[in-house]
Amino acid sequence: MSDATDHQLSSHPPVTDWTTDFDHAVDEYAARAPEIWDELRSACPVAHSERYGGVWLPTRHEDVAAIAYDTEHFTSRSVVVTEGRPIAPAPRGIAPPISSDPPFHQEARRMLLPAFSPKAVNELEPYTRAYCNELLDAVAGAETFDAAVDYAQHIPVRVIAKMLGFPPEDGDIFRRIVHNALEAVDLPQEQRMMNFLTLDEYLRTQVQDHLDNPRDDLTSFLLNAEMDGEPLAPEHVGGTIALLLIAGIDTTWSAIGASLWHLAANPDDLARLVAEPALMPTAIEEFLRYYAPVTMARLVAEPVEIGGCPMQPDEWVLLPFPAANRDPEFFDRADEVVLDREVNRHAAFGLGIHRCAGSNLARMELRVALETFLERFPSFTLADPDAVRWSRGQVRGPRTLPVRITS
Amino acid sequence: MRIHVDADKCQGHNRCYAIAPELFDVDDLGYATALNDGVVPAELEEKARLAVANCPEYAITIEEG
Ligand code: HEM
Ligand code: SF4
C-alpha cells in the first residue's frame, strides 16, 4: 500500500538555504511548502538549485504562467523532476499527451477529451456518489478514522478503474504504482526503472485482456484509436493509460484530503458550508486555489531568460501552480481561504495547451466527495493534528488525516 | 452587452459554463462557445462579468452596449 511508503523519510540531505539549494523531496518541503514559496517569492522569486543536475523554482504567478505558455523554449518531454533525464523520444515522450510537445500534442490530447467532457463526466456522478457512501458506511459508528486513507484515496482510483475497464479490486496495485511514479522521486534511477517495469507488466495484462475481449471503455477506445489514419503505436496506448492512472489518482486524493483537512481544522468554515450548501461551487474553486496539489515541470529546450534568470538547455524548471495560486500580486487576500471568493482565476489545473484533461472529472469527484462527507458528518475535527502527514514531491496533499466525528 | 469566446485561447477549463450555463455551452471536447450569438440579457450581465473574471486563459471578452 502506498500509505506505508509515504511515511519513509526522505533520503536527500536537508536543505540549509532554500534560495540556492532547494529540494522538493525533503521532509521540510512536505511540512511547509507554502511558507517556503512565500519566502522565496519575496527573497528570490526564481530560485536555482544544483540538485537533480540543475533545477529552477519560480514562485510568482507571472513567471509560472510565462513558462506554461512558452512551448518553444521549454519542453514537456518529462514533467517529473528526477536525478536523470528522460530517455523516451520527443515528440511523443513517455506518456502522451502530458509528455508531448506541439504539434504532436494536440491530436494526442484531442482524442482523450470527449471521455472527460463535462457532459461525459456527469454520467459518472451517480456511480461516484454510491461509492463514496459505501466508503462512509464502512466507517460509520467509528469515533475516529483516517479521512485520507479510509476515504479520499479510494475515490479517484475506483472511478478511473471503471473508465478504463480495469478490475475495481486492483485499487491497491494502482496506488502503489502511482506512488512510485510521483512521490518516490528521490529513489535511485535503477529502482525507479524497476518500478516502471512493474507498471508496464500490469498494464500489459490489462491491455491483453481488452484485446481478447474488447468492450465499451477507454482502454478499448485507445486500442482502436487512430492518428493520421494509423493505429496508435503500442507505446502510445500504454503511455496514455499509464498517464490516466498516474495523473488522476494522487492528485484528486490530495485535493479531497486537503479540503477535508481545512474543514476539520477550521470549524467556522465547516459550519458555514454545512449551513449554506449554495457556497459549494465557490468553496471548491477556493480549495483548488489554496490547496492546489500539482506542481508540474519542464526541461529547458532553448536558452531563455525568466524573471532575469538565464536558463540553459537540459535544466529542469518546476512549475508550481500552487505557488502561483498564492501570489499576492495576482490574488486579493491570497493567504486566506475565502469560501465565497467570486473572482478566482486560479491555475490549479495548469495554464495553456496542457490544461488538465481530467479537470471536469476531478471537480466532480471533489464535489461529490465533499457533499457526501458533509451530509453524513456535518461536524468533525482533527483527531490528532500532529499525526497529519503531507506528501513530498510534486503532488501535495495529506497522506494521513485522522478525524474525530463530533456529531 | 455581448460576449465572445476566443477559440484560440480557450483551453476548456469550463469555468464559464459552470458559472453561467445560460450564456455558454461546451462542445464534445469541452471547449466553450457563447450561446445566442453572445447576446447577454440585462439580468445576466453580472454573471457574464463573473465568467470573464474567472476564465484562467483570458479567453472571454465583453463588448458593452
Ligand atoms: C484535483 C485533481 C487534479 C489536478 C490538480 C490536476 C492537475 C493537472 C495539471 C496542473 C496539469 C497540467 C500539466 C502541465 O502543464 O504539464 C494536468 C494535466 C493532465 N491531467 Fe490532471 N489534475 C487532476 C486530476 C486529473 C484527473 C482525475 C485526470 C484523469 C484521469 C487527469 C488527467 C490529466 C491529463 C491527461 C493531463 C495532460 C493534459 C495534456 O498534456 O494535454 N488529471 N493535470
Ligand atoms: S473558462 Fe475560459 S478557457 Fe474555460 S471553457 Fe470558458 S472560455 Fe474556455
Side-chain angles (χ1 to χ4, degrees), chain A residues 76 79 97-98 105 109 112 116 160 243-244 247-248 251-252 255 288 293-294 296 298 321 348-350 353-358 361-362:
Chain A
S76 281
V79 291
I98 210 166
H105 166 264
R109 172 184 170 87
L112 289 180
F116 294 94
I160 196 65
L243 169 62
L244 293 175
T251 51
T252 313
L288 284 167
V294 177
M296 278 293 147
R298 299 287 187 263
F321 295 111
F349 292 110
I353 62 167
H354 290 280
R355 183 272 304 169
C356 176
L361 177 64

PDB file of all heavy atoms in Angstrom, chain A residues 76 79 97-98 105 109 112 116 160 243-244 247-248 251-252 255 288 293-294 296 298 321 348-350 353-358 361-362, ligand 1:
ATOM      1  N   SER A  76       7.946  19.568 -22.648  1.00  0.00           N
ATOM      2  CA  SER A  76       7.218  18.768 -21.662  1.00  0.00           C
ATOM      3  C   SER A  76       7.708  17.322 -21.656  1.00  0.00           C
ATOM      4  O   SER A  76       7.073  16.479 -21.032  1.00  0.00           O
ATOM      5  CB  SER A  76       5.717  18.789 -21.978  1.00  0.00           C
ATOM      6  OG  SER A  76       5.136  19.994 -21.543  1.00  0.00           O
ATOM      7  N   VAL A  79       7.744  15.673 -17.120  1.00  0.00           N
ATOM      8  CA  VAL A  79       7.106  16.629 -16.213  1.00  0.00           C
ATOM      9  C   VAL A  79       7.320  16.248 -14.756  1.00  0.00           C
ATOM     10  O   VAL A  79       6.713  16.820 -13.863  1.00  0.00           O
ATOM     11  CB  VAL A  79       5.595  16.787 -16.518  1.00  0.00           C
ATOM     12  CG1 VAL A  79       5.391  17.500 -17.843  1.00  0.00           C
ATOM     13  CG2 VAL A  79       4.881  15.450 -16.502  1.00  0.00           C
ATOM     14  N   PRO A  97      -0.736  12.694 -23.673  1.00  0.00           N
ATOM     15  CA  PRO A  97      -0.174  13.925 -24.227  1.00  0.00           C
ATOM     16  C   PRO A  97       0.649  14.760 -23.231  1.00  0.00           C
ATOM     17  O   PRO A  97       1.207  15.761 -23.628  1.00  0.00           O
ATOM     18  CB  PRO A  97      -1.446  14.706 -24.596  1.00  0.00           C
ATOM     19  CG  PRO A  97      -2.439  14.309 -23.539  1.00  0.00           C
ATOM     20  CD  PRO A  97      -2.138  12.866 -23.238  1.00  0.00           C
ATOM     21  N   ILE A  98       0.766  14.330 -21.976  1.00  0.00           N
ATOM     22  CA  ILE A  98       1.388  15.236 -20.998  1.00  0.00           C
ATOM     23  C   ILE A  98       2.870  15.417 -21.318  1.00  0.00           C
ATOM     24  O   ILE A  98       3.444  16.478 -21.068  1.00  0.00           O
ATOM     25  CB  ILE A  98       1.170  14.738 -19.546  1.00  0.00           C
ATOM     26  CG1 ILE A  98       1.126  15.927 -18.581  1.00  0.00           C
ATOM     27  CG2 ILE A  98       2.225  13.748 -19.091  1.00  0.00           C
ATOM     28  CD1 ILE A  98       0.598  15.596 -17.199  1.00  0.00           C
ATOM     29  N   HIS A 105       1.316  16.994 -29.795  1.00  0.00           N
ATOM     30  CA  HIS A 105       0.497  17.048 -28.590  1.00  0.00           C
ATOM     31  C   HIS A 105      -0.996  17.185 -28.877  1.00  0.00           C
ATOM     32  O   HIS A 105      -1.826  16.513 -28.273  1.00  0.00           O
ATOM     33  CB  HIS A 105       0.970  18.214 -27.700  1.00  0.00           C
ATOM     34  CG  HIS A 105       0.010  18.562 -26.613  1.00  0.00           C
ATOM     35  ND1 HIS A 105      -0.917  19.580 -26.724  1.00  0.00           N
ATOM     36  CD2 HIS A 105      -0.212  17.989 -25.403  1.00  0.00           C
ATOM     37  CE1 HIS A 105      -1.636  19.617 -25.620  1.00  0.00           C
ATOM     38  NE2 HIS A 105      -1.240  18.681 -24.810  1.00  0.00           N
ATOM     39  N   ARG A 109      -3.979  14.751 -27.486  1.00  0.00           N
ATOM     40  CA  ARG A 109      -4.857  15.267 -26.437  1.00  0.00           C
ATOM     41  C   ARG A 109      -6.323  15.221 -26.867  1.00  0.00           C
ATOM     42  O   ARG A 109      -7.192  14.785 -26.103  1.00  0.00           O
ATOM     43  CB  ARG A 109      -4.451  16.701 -26.132  1.00  0.00           C
ATOM     44  CG  ARG A 109      -5.385  17.434 -25.191  1.00  0.00           C
ATOM     45  CD  ARG A 109      -4.921  18.876 -25.052  1.00  0.00           C
ATOM     46  NE  ARG A 109      -5.896  19.669 -24.349  1.00  0.00           N
ATOM     47  CZ  ARG A 109      -5.961  19.787 -23.022  1.00  0.00           C
ATOM     48  NH1 ARG A 109      -5.099  19.144 -22.266  1.00  0.00           N
ATOM     49  NH2 ARG A 109      -6.879  20.540 -22.459  1.00  0.00           N
ATOM     50  N   LEU A 112      -8.563  12.278 -26.313  1.00  0.00           N
ATOM     51  CA  LEU A 112      -8.961  11.954 -24.936  1.00  0.00           C
ATOM     52  C   LEU A 112     -10.128  12.800 -24.443  1.00  0.00           C
ATOM     53  O   LEU A 112     -10.872  12.402 -23.551  1.00  0.00           O
ATOM     54  CB  LEU A 112      -7.795  12.203 -23.981  1.00  0.00           C
ATOM     55  CG  LEU A 112      -6.619  11.255 -24.032  1.00  0.00           C
ATOM     56  CD1 LEU A 112      -5.577  11.687 -23.010  1.00  0.00           C
ATOM     57  CD2 LEU A 112      -7.087   9.833 -23.745  1.00  0.00           C
ATOM     58  N   PHE A 116     -13.743  13.000 -21.200  1.00  0.00           N
ATOM     59  CA  PHE A 116     -13.622  13.817 -19.977  1.00  0.00           C
ATOM     60  C   PHE A 116     -14.395  15.128 -20.074  1.00  0.00           C
ATOM     61  O   PHE A 116     -14.180  16.038 -19.278  1.00  0.00           O
ATOM     62  CB  PHE A 116     -12.139  14.093 -19.685  1.00  0.00           C
ATOM     63  CG  PHE A 116     -11.363  12.850 -19.340  1.00  0.00           C
ATOM     64  CD1 PHE A 116     -10.669  12.150 -20.312  1.00  0.00           C
ATOM     65  CD2 PHE A 116     -11.371  12.364 -18.040  1.00  0.00           C
ATOM     66  CE1 PHE A 116      -9.973  10.990 -19.996  1.00  0.00           C
ATOM     67  CE2 PHE A 116     -10.680  11.203 -17.714  1.00  0.00           C
ATOM     68  CZ  PHE A 116      -9.976  10.509 -18.703  1.00  0.00           C
ATOM     69  N   ILE A 160     -11.433   5.897 -12.019  1.00  0.00           N
ATOM     70  CA  ILE A 160     -10.625   5.729 -13.231  1.00  0.00           C
ATOM     71  C   ILE A 160     -10.566   4.252 -13.634  1.00  0.00           C
ATOM     72  O   ILE A 160     -10.543   3.913 -14.825  1.00  0.00           O
ATOM     73  CB  ILE A 160      -9.213   6.366 -13.091  1.00  0.00           C
ATOM     74  CG1 ILE A 160      -8.548   6.523 -14.462  1.00  0.00           C
ATOM     75  CG2 ILE A 160      -8.311   5.564 -12.197  1.00  0.00           C
ATOM     76  CD1 ILE A 160      -9.206   7.477 -15.397  1.00  0.00           C
ATOM     77  N   LEU A 243      -0.584   7.296 -17.967  1.00  0.00           N
ATOM     78  CA  LEU A 243      -0.815   8.692 -17.592  1.00  0.00           C
ATOM     79  C   LEU A 243      -2.165   8.850 -16.892  1.00  0.00           C
ATOM     80  O   LEU A 243      -2.269   9.515 -15.863  1.00  0.00           O
ATOM     81  CB  LEU A 243      -0.763   9.586 -18.842  1.00  0.00           C
ATOM     82  CG  LEU A 243      -1.254  11.023 -18.639  1.00  0.00           C
ATOM     83  CD1 LEU A 243      -0.382  11.745 -17.622  1.00  0.00           C
ATOM     84  CD2 LEU A 243      -1.265  11.786 -19.957  1.00  0.00           C
ATOM     85  N   LEU A 244      -3.207   8.237 -17.464  1.00  0.00           N
ATOM     86  CA  LEU A 244      -4.539   8.419 -16.878  1.00  0.00           C
ATOM     87  C   LEU A 244      -4.583   7.846 -15.463  1.00  0.00           C
ATOM     88  O   LEU A 244      -5.232   8.407 -14.573  1.00  0.00           O
ATOM     89  CB  LEU A 244      -5.606   7.774 -17.761  1.00  0.00           C
ATOM     90  CG  LEU A 244      -5.783   8.466 -19.119  1.00  0.00           C
ATOM     91  CD1 LEU A 244      -6.767   7.710 -19.995  1.00  0.00           C
ATOM     92  CD2 LEU A 244      -6.242   9.915 -18.939  1.00  0.00           C
ATOM     93  N   ALA A 247      -2.024  10.374 -13.427  1.00  0.00           N
ATOM     94  CA  ALA A 247      -2.388  11.790 -13.327  1.00  0.00           C
ATOM     95  C   ALA A 247      -3.619  12.013 -12.479  1.00  0.00           C
ATOM     96  O   ALA A 247      -3.819  13.095 -11.940  1.00  0.00           O
ATOM     97  CB  ALA A 247      -2.609  12.376 -14.718  1.00  0.00           C
ATOM     98  N   GLY A 248      -4.480  10.981 -12.384  1.00  0.00           N
ATOM     99  CA  GLY A 248      -5.769  11.227 -11.756  1.00  0.00           C
ATOM    100  C   GLY A 248      -5.859  10.827 -10.298  1.00  0.00           C
ATOM    101  O   GLY A 248      -6.791  11.219  -9.605  1.00  0.00           O
ATOM    102  N   THR A 251      -3.409  13.093  -7.297  1.00  0.00           N
ATOM    103  CA  THR A 251      -3.844  14.475  -7.439  1.00  0.00           C
ATOM    104  C   THR A 251      -5.209  14.702  -6.803  1.00  0.00           C
ATOM    105  O   THR A 251      -5.377  15.571  -5.953  1.00  0.00           O
ATOM    106  CB  THR A 251      -3.938  14.808  -8.933  1.00  0.00           C
ATOM    107  OG1 THR A 251      -4.719  13.791  -9.576  1.00  0.00           O
ATOM    108  CG2 THR A 251      -2.569  14.847  -9.583  1.00  0.00           C
ATOM    109  N   THR A 252      -6.177  13.883  -7.202  1.00  0.00           N
ATOM    110  CA  THR A 252      -7.538  14.082  -6.715  1.00  0.00           C
ATOM    111  C   THR A 252      -7.646  13.671  -5.246  1.00  0.00           C
ATOM    112  O   THR A 252      -8.333  14.332  -4.457  1.00  0.00           O
ATOM    113  CB  THR A 252      -8.526  13.288  -7.592  1.00  0.00           C
ATOM    114  OG1 THR A 252      -8.212  13.545  -8.964  1.00  0.00           O
ATOM    115  CG2 THR A 252      -9.943  13.705  -7.326  1.00  0.00           C
ATOM    116  N   ALA A 255      -6.521  16.611  -3.370  1.00  0.00           N
ATOM    117  CA  ALA A 255      -7.478  17.717  -3.344  1.00  0.00           C
ATOM    118  C   ALA A 255      -8.607  17.424  -2.353  1.00  0.00           C
ATOM    119  O   ALA A 255      -9.021  18.297  -1.583  1.00  0.00           O
ATOM    120  CB  ALA A 255      -8.039  17.962  -4.742  1.00  0.00           C
ATOM    121  N   LEU A 288      -9.355  24.477  -4.408  1.00  0.00           N
ATOM    122  CA  LEU A 288      -8.424  24.149  -5.501  1.00  0.00           C
ATOM    123  C   LEU A 288      -7.334  25.203  -5.629  1.00  0.00           C
ATOM    124  O   LEU A 288      -6.189  24.896  -5.934  1.00  0.00           O
ATOM    125  CB  LEU A 288      -9.190  24.013  -6.830  1.00  0.00           C
ATOM    126  CG  LEU A 288      -9.979  22.711  -6.979  1.00  0.00           C
ATOM    127  CD1 LEU A 288     -10.955  22.801  -8.153  1.00  0.00           C
ATOM    128  CD2 LEU A 288      -9.034  21.521  -7.169  1.00  0.00           C
ATOM    129  N   PRO A 293      -2.920  20.863  -5.603  1.00  0.00           N
ATOM    130  CA  PRO A 293      -1.979  19.780  -5.284  1.00  0.00           C
ATOM    131  C   PRO A 293      -0.821  19.606  -6.260  1.00  0.00           C
ATOM    132  O   PRO A 293       0.150  18.935  -5.912  1.00  0.00           O
ATOM    133  CB  PRO A 293      -2.856  18.523  -5.285  1.00  0.00           C
ATOM    134  CG  PRO A 293      -4.138  18.879  -5.945  1.00  0.00           C
ATOM    135  CD  PRO A 293      -4.231  20.363  -6.072  1.00  0.00           C
ATOM    136  N   VAL A 294      -0.920  20.165  -7.473  1.00  0.00           N
ATOM    137  CA  VAL A 294       0.021  19.712  -8.504  1.00  0.00           C
ATOM    138  C   VAL A 294       1.034  20.768  -8.935  1.00  0.00           C
ATOM    139  O   VAL A 294       0.668  21.856  -9.392  1.00  0.00           O
ATOM    140  CB  VAL A 294      -0.748  19.208  -9.747  1.00  0.00           C
ATOM    141  CG1 VAL A 294       0.240  18.806 -10.843  1.00  0.00           C
ATOM    142  CG2 VAL A 294      -1.620  18.027  -9.370  1.00  0.00           C
ATOM    143  N   MET A 296       3.959  21.006 -11.729  1.00  0.00           N
ATOM    144  CA  MET A 296       4.448  20.319 -12.924  1.00  0.00           C
ATOM    145  C   MET A 296       5.919  20.654 -13.127  1.00  0.00           C
ATOM    146  O   MET A 296       6.532  21.310 -12.288  1.00  0.00           O
ATOM    147  CB  MET A 296       3.621  20.736 -14.128  1.00  0.00           C
ATOM    148  CG  MET A 296       2.337  19.970 -14.227  1.00  0.00           C
ATOM    149  SD  MET A 296       2.758  18.239 -14.573  1.00  0.00           S
ATOM    150  CE  MET A 296       1.443  17.440 -13.700  1.00  0.00           C
ATOM    151  N   ARG A 298       9.129  21.282 -16.457  1.00  0.00           N
ATOM    152  CA  ARG A 298       9.555  21.322 -17.854  1.00  0.00           C
ATOM    153  C   ARG A 298      11.056  21.133 -17.876  1.00  0.00           C
ATOM    154  O   ARG A 298      11.739  21.351 -16.852  1.00  0.00           O
ATOM    155  CB  ARG A 298       9.229  22.701 -18.478  1.00  0.00           C
ATOM    156  CG  ARG A 298       7.757  23.080 -18.496  1.00  0.00           C
ATOM    157  CD  ARG A 298       6.983  22.283 -19.532  1.00  0.00           C
ATOM    158  NE  ARG A 298       5.606  22.763 -19.655  1.00  0.00           N
ATOM    159  CZ  ARG A 298       4.564  22.213 -19.027  1.00  0.00           C
ATOM    160  NH1 ARG A 298       4.743  21.179 -18.225  1.00  0.00           N
ATOM    161  NH2 ARG A 298       3.354  22.681 -19.207  1.00  0.00           N
ATOM    162  N   PHE A 321       2.190  25.492  -9.822  1.00  0.00           N
ATOM    163  CA  PHE A 321       0.889  26.182  -9.914  1.00  0.00           C
ATOM    164  C   PHE A 321       0.366  26.550  -8.517  1.00  0.00           C
ATOM    165  O   PHE A 321      -0.241  27.611  -8.354  1.00  0.00           O
ATOM    166  CB  PHE A 321      -0.109  25.336 -10.700  1.00  0.00           C
ATOM    167  CG  PHE A 321       0.281  25.154 -12.147  1.00  0.00           C
ATOM    168  CD1 PHE A 321       0.680  23.924 -12.637  1.00  0.00           C
ATOM    169  CD2 PHE A 321       0.287  26.237 -13.015  1.00  0.00           C
ATOM    170  CE1 PHE A 321       1.060  23.763 -13.967  1.00  0.00           C
ATOM    171  CE2 PHE A 321       0.673  26.089 -14.341  1.00  0.00           C
ATOM    172  CZ  PHE A 321       1.056  24.849 -14.816  1.00  0.00           C
ATOM    173  N   ALA A 348      -4.905  25.898 -10.741  1.00  0.00           N
ATOM    174  CA  ALA A 348      -4.677  24.561 -10.171  1.00  0.00           C
ATOM    175  C   ALA A 348      -4.571  23.487 -11.251  1.00  0.00           C
ATOM    176  O   ALA A 348      -3.874  22.496 -11.079  1.00  0.00           O
ATOM    177  CB  ALA A 348      -5.799  24.204  -9.200  1.00  0.00           C
ATOM    178  N   PHE A 349      -5.282  23.673 -12.359  1.00  0.00           N
ATOM    179  CA  PHE A 349      -5.250  22.673 -13.423  1.00  0.00           C
ATOM    180  C   PHE A 349      -4.305  23.066 -14.550  1.00  0.00           C
ATOM    181  O   PHE A 349      -4.394  22.543 -15.662  1.00  0.00           O
ATOM    182  CB  PHE A 349      -6.660  22.429 -13.958  1.00  0.00           C
ATOM    183  CG  PHE A 349      -7.560  21.755 -12.952  1.00  0.00           C
ATOM    184  CD1 PHE A 349      -8.611  22.440 -12.353  1.00  0.00           C
ATOM    185  CD2 PHE A 349      -7.338  20.427 -12.593  1.00  0.00           C
ATOM    186  CE1 PHE A 349      -9.438  21.817 -11.426  1.00  0.00           C
ATOM    187  CE2 PHE A 349      -8.155  19.792 -11.664  1.00  0.00           C
ATOM    188  CZ  PHE A 349      -9.206  20.488 -11.078  1.00  0.00           C
ATOM    189  N   GLY A 350      -3.404  23.979 -14.276  1.00  0.00           N
ATOM    190  CA  GLY A 350      -2.428  24.382 -15.281  1.00  0.00           C
ATOM    191  C   GLY A 350      -2.958  25.507 -16.147  1.00  0.00           C
ATOM    192  O   GLY A 350      -4.083  25.998 -15.963  1.00  0.00           O
ATOM    193  N   ILE A 353      -1.835  24.915 -23.259  1.00  0.00           N
ATOM    194  CA  ILE A 353      -2.266  23.740 -24.028  1.00  0.00           C
ATOM    195  C   ILE A 353      -2.332  22.447 -23.226  1.00  0.00           C
ATOM    196  O   ILE A 353      -3.008  21.521 -23.626  1.00  0.00           O
ATOM    197  CB  ILE A 353      -1.366  23.507 -25.265  1.00  0.00           C
ATOM    198  CG1 ILE A 353       0.078  23.238 -24.849  1.00  0.00           C
ATOM    199  CG2 ILE A 353      -1.446  24.693 -26.230  1.00  0.00           C
ATOM    200  CD1 ILE A 353       0.930  22.687 -25.997  1.00  0.00           C
ATOM    201  N   HIS A 354      -1.638  22.365 -22.094  1.00  0.00           N
ATOM    202  CA  HIS A 354      -1.678  21.121 -21.310  1.00  0.00           C
ATOM    203  C   HIS A 354      -2.715  21.169 -20.188  1.00  0.00           C
ATOM    204  O   HIS A 354      -2.691  20.319 -19.291  1.00  0.00           O
ATOM    205  CB  HIS A 354      -0.302  20.813 -20.715  1.00  0.00           C
ATOM    206  CG  HIS A 354       0.731  20.397 -21.722  1.00  0.00           C
ATOM    207  ND1 HIS A 354       0.802  19.123 -22.225  1.00  0.00           N
ATOM    208  CD2 HIS A 354       1.708  21.106 -22.344  1.00  0.00           C
ATOM    209  CE1 HIS A 354       1.804  19.051 -23.095  1.00  0.00           C
ATOM    210  NE2 HIS A 354       2.368  20.243 -23.189  1.00  0.00           N
ATOM    211  N   ARG A 355      -3.628  22.160 -20.227  1.00  0.00           N
ATOM    212  CA  ARG A 355      -4.664  22.229 -19.179  1.00  0.00           C
ATOM    213  C   ARG A 355      -5.145  20.805 -18.851  1.00  0.00           C
ATOM    214  O   ARG A 355      -5.409  20.015 -19.743  1.00  0.00           O
ATOM    215  CB  ARG A 355      -5.846  23.074 -19.687  1.00  0.00           C
ATOM    216  CG  ARG A 355      -6.972  23.301 -18.693  1.00  0.00           C
ATOM    217  CD  ARG A 355      -8.076  22.252 -18.646  1.00  0.00           C
ATOM    218  NE  ARG A 355      -8.734  22.006 -19.920  1.00  0.00           N
ATOM    219  CZ  ARG A 355      -9.575  20.998 -20.168  1.00  0.00           C
ATOM    220  NH1 ARG A 355      -9.858  20.117 -19.230  1.00  0.00           N
ATOM    221  NH2 ARG A 355     -10.111  20.839 -21.370  1.00  0.00           N
ATOM    222  N   CYS A 356      -5.234  20.527 -17.562  1.00  0.00           N
ATOM    223  CA  CYS A 356      -5.590  19.177 -17.116  1.00  0.00           C
ATOM    224  C   CYS A 356      -6.785  18.629 -17.898  1.00  0.00           C
ATOM    225  O   CYS A 356      -7.890  19.163 -17.808  1.00  0.00           O
ATOM    226  CB  CYS A 356      -5.927  19.184 -15.631  1.00  0.00           C
ATOM    227  SG  CYS A 356      -6.471  17.578 -15.037  1.00  0.00           S
ATOM    228  N   ALA A 357      -6.536  17.553 -18.623  1.00  0.00           N
ATOM    229  CA  ALA A 357      -7.607  16.941 -19.408  1.00  0.00           C
ATOM    230  C   ALA A 357      -8.667  16.335 -18.497  1.00  0.00           C
ATOM    231  O   ALA A 357      -9.804  16.134 -18.916  1.00  0.00           O
ATOM    232  CB  ALA A 357      -7.027  15.887 -20.348  1.00  0.00           C
ATOM    233  N   GLY A 358      -8.292  16.048 -17.255  1.00  0.00           N
ATOM    234  CA  GLY A 358      -9.232  15.430 -16.331  1.00  0.00           C
ATOM    235  C   GLY A 358      -9.897  16.409 -15.385  1.00  0.00           C
ATOM    236  O   GLY A 358     -10.510  16.008 -14.399  1.00  0.00           O
ATOM    237  N   LEU A 361     -13.542  15.860 -14.481  1.00  0.00           N
ATOM    238  CA  LEU A 361     -13.690  14.671 -13.657  1.00  0.00           C
ATOM    239  C   LEU A 361     -13.227  14.955 -12.221  1.00  0.00           C
ATOM    240  O   LEU A 361     -13.901  14.607 -11.246  1.00  0.00           O
ATOM    241  CB  LEU A 361     -12.874  13.519 -14.262  1.00  0.00           C
ATOM    242  CG  LEU A 361     -12.869  12.227 -13.455  1.00  0.00           C
ATOM    243  CD1 LEU A 361     -14.272  11.632 -13.367  1.00  0.00           C
ATOM    244  CD2 LEU A 361     -11.903  11.205 -14.058  1.00  0.00           C
ATOM    245  N   ALA A 362     -12.080  15.601 -12.102  1.00  0.00           N
ATOM    246  CA  ALA A 362     -11.533  15.885 -10.774  1.00  0.00           C
ATOM    247  C   ALA A 362     -12.489  16.763  -9.972  1.00  0.00           C
ATOM    248  O   ALA A 362     -12.729  16.533  -8.787  1.00  0.00           O
ATOM    249  CB  ALA A 362     -10.173  16.567 -10.908  1.00  0.00           C
TER     250      ALA A 362
HETATM  251  C1  HEM C   1      -7.511  17.821  -8.410  1.00  0.00           C
HETATM  252  C2  HEM C   1      -7.036  16.938  -9.247  1.00  0.00           C
HETATM  253  C3  HEM C   1      -6.089  17.253 -10.374  1.00  0.00           C
HETATM  254  C4  HEM C   1      -5.202  18.287 -10.513  1.00  0.00           C
HETATM  255  C5  HEM C   1      -4.920  19.420  -9.542  1.00  0.00           C
HETATM  256  C6  HEM C   1      -4.565  18.126 -11.804  1.00  0.00           C
HETATM  257  C7  HEM C   1      -3.611  18.990 -12.306  1.00  0.00           C
HETATM  258  C8  HEM C   1      -3.066  18.923 -13.568  1.00  0.00           C
HETATM  259  C9  HEM C   1      -2.168  19.903 -14.116  1.00  0.00           C
HETATM  260  C10 HEM C   1      -1.632  21.118 -13.389  1.00  0.00           C
HETATM  261  C11 HEM C   1      -1.887  19.534 -15.400  1.00  0.00           C
HETATM  262  C12 HEM C   1      -1.027  20.330 -16.386  1.00  0.00           C
HETATM  263  C13 HEM C   1       0.189  19.630 -16.837  1.00  0.00           C
HETATM  264  C14 HEM C   1       1.227  20.522 -17.472  1.00  0.00           C
HETATM  265  O1  HEM C   1       1.072  21.748 -17.604  1.00  0.00           O
HETATM  266  O2  HEM C   1       2.262  19.946 -17.842  1.00  0.00           O
HETATM  267  C15 HEM C   1      -2.602  18.301 -15.649  1.00  0.00           C
HETATM  268  C16 HEM C   1      -2.572  17.601 -16.835  1.00  0.00           C
HETATM  269  C17 HEM C   1      -3.287  16.436 -17.063  1.00  0.00           C
HETATM  270  N1  HEM C   1      -4.160  15.812 -16.188  1.00  0.00           N
HETATM  271 FE1  HEM C   1      -4.667  16.448 -14.342  1.00  0.00          FE
HETATM  272  N2  HEM C   1      -5.066  17.010 -12.416  1.00  0.00           N
HETATM  273  C18 HEM C   1      -6.013  16.450 -11.591  1.00  0.00           C
HETATM  274  C19 HEM C   1      -6.776  15.338 -11.846  1.00  0.00           C
HETATM  275  C20 HEM C   1      -6.766  14.633 -13.032  1.00  0.00           C
HETATM  276  C21 HEM C   1      -7.628  13.526 -13.351  1.00  0.00           C
HETATM  277  C22 HEM C   1      -8.734  12.969 -12.460  1.00  0.00           C
HETATM  278  C23 HEM C   1      -7.257  13.084 -14.595  1.00  0.00           C
HETATM  279  C24 HEM C   1      -7.824  11.958 -15.419  1.00  0.00           C
HETATM  280  C25 HEM C   1      -7.998  10.776 -15.038  1.00  0.00           C
HETATM  281  C26 HEM C   1      -6.192  13.929 -15.062  1.00  0.00           C
HETATM  282  C27 HEM C   1      -5.578  13.800 -16.293  1.00  0.00           C
HETATM  283  C28 HEM C   1      -4.674  14.703 -16.817  1.00  0.00           C
HETATM  284  C29 HEM C   1      -4.110  14.585 -18.154  1.00  0.00           C
HETATM  285  C30 HEM C   1      -4.425  13.516 -19.188  1.00  0.00           C
HETATM  286  C31 HEM C   1      -3.237  15.680 -18.315  1.00  0.00           C
HETATM  287  C32 HEM C   1      -2.377  16.018 -19.550  1.00  0.00           C
HETATM  288  C33 HEM C   1      -3.050  17.019 -20.441  1.00  0.00           C
HETATM  289  C34 HEM C   1      -2.168  17.465 -21.584  1.00  0.00           C
HETATM  290  O3  HEM C   1      -0.945  17.339 -21.506  1.00  0.00           O
HETATM  291  O4  HEM C   1      -2.711  17.958 -22.593  1.00  0.00           O
HETATM  292  N3  HEM C   1      -5.912  14.858 -14.093  1.00  0.00           N
HETATM  293  N4  HEM C   1      -3.332  17.957 -14.521  1.00  0.00           N
END
